[in-house]
Amino acid sequence: KMATSKTTLNNPLFTTKFEDTDVSPGSSASKVAISGSAVNLGKVFIDNTAFATKMYLKLYNVASDSLTVGTTTPLLVLPVEASTTVQYTFVPNIQFSSACSYSLCTTGGTAGTTGANTAGIKAEFLIGS
């Protein structure tokens, strides 16, 4: 089961930290909403040390209830090597004009619906104003 949380930050660059402590724990990739409205994404940190397979974090400019993993085209796909941690920093922030949702799959691009099917993959997103 996913464990997500949002924290308001007192920071001029980032206003919100969104954390998911168990990304894609099932065999099918989960779809998760960061925000149901427009946001600016500044930083992404993914801890894939718990899994020995390369993963792809897919970020979508749609609300999670409008998202079909494997069919909806991602705005951005970030590779996450096996058994590693990775951080992406965006300067300027990437604008999601409608909403911001994500999934974590074993296949890059639009296609692919297979999740990690393991516990312990963590993700953190820093959202700017």
Side-chain angles (χ1 to χ4, degrees):
K1 182 174 171 29
M2 292 172 298
T4 62
S5 64
K6 279 187 182 180
T7 306
T8 300
L9 303 175
N10 185 15
N11 182 310
L13 297 176
F14 305 112
T15 57
T16 305
K17 177 172 69 172
F18 181 93
E19 291 181 282
D20 188 338
T21 58
D22 199 7
V23 184
S24 198
S27 58
S28 294
S30 304
K31 54 185 181 178
V32 182
I34 293 175
S35 175
S37 58
V39 295
N40 296 316
L41 183 62
K43 194 174 280 195
V44 176
F45 174 81
I46 305 139
D47 179 349
N48 192 29
T49 55
F51 196 45
T53 299
K54 184 176 185 176
M55 300 298 290
Y56 296 87
L57 182 74
K58 301 178 185 185
L59 293 153
Y60 304 90
N61 190 27
V62 296
S64 62
D65 58 355
S66 301
L67 168 59
T68 303
V69 177
T71 304
T72 304
T73 303
L75 179 68
L76 185 65
V77 178
L78 303 174
V80 184
E81 294 298 330
S83 305
T84 63
T85 59
V86 65
Q87 177 176 296
Y88 292 93
T89 302
F90 308 108
V91 179
N93 293 347
I94 294 179
Q95 296 180 343
F96 289 79
S97 59
S98 299
C100 185
S101 302
Y102 66 92
S103 65
L104 187 70
C105 302
T106 57
T107 306
T110 299
T113 59
T114 303
N117 202 24
T118 190
I121 300 174
K122 299 173 185 73
E124 180 179 291
F125 304 86
L126 294 180
I127 298 164
S129 52

